[in-house]
Amino acid sequence: VQGVVRTPDGRPLAGARVSVAGTDVAGTTSPNGAFALAGLPAGTYSLEVRAIGFAPTRVAVNLARTRPATVAVT
């Protein structure tokens, strides 16, 4: 799964922690707010995004073997 995290006003959010609930898969957003997480089998997952100064956000993601999922989180 790959994607981008933005602030409520649309700016990229660098340094946010993106994790998949119930797994050890996690990463941190780049300076342009982008992230990529690998190693997940097909299925439905809950992504959790946390950053200092912002409320945690959860987003459901459906992964298929045939195509990667792309997510935008605000």
Side-chain angles (χ1 to χ4, degrees), residues 10-24:
R11 292 180 293 134
L13 184 57
R17 179 157 173 82
V18 181
S19 60
V20 180
T23 73
D24 292 333

Side-chain angles (χ1 to χ4, degrees), residues 7-69:
T7 63
D9 63 1
R11 292 180 293 134
L13 184 57
R17 179 157 173 82
V18 181
S19 60
V20 180
T23 73
D24 292 333
V25 178
T28 304
T29 57
S30 67
N32 65 354
F35 68 91
L37 304 175
L40 294 167
T44 301
Y45 296 92
S46 180
L47 285 184
E48 184 172 82
V49 179
R50 293 179 171 268
I52 294 173
F54 296 91
T57 300
R58 282 194 176 219
V59 177
V61 177
N62 293 315
L63 299 182
R65 291 187 314 172
T66 57
R67 61 175 166 61

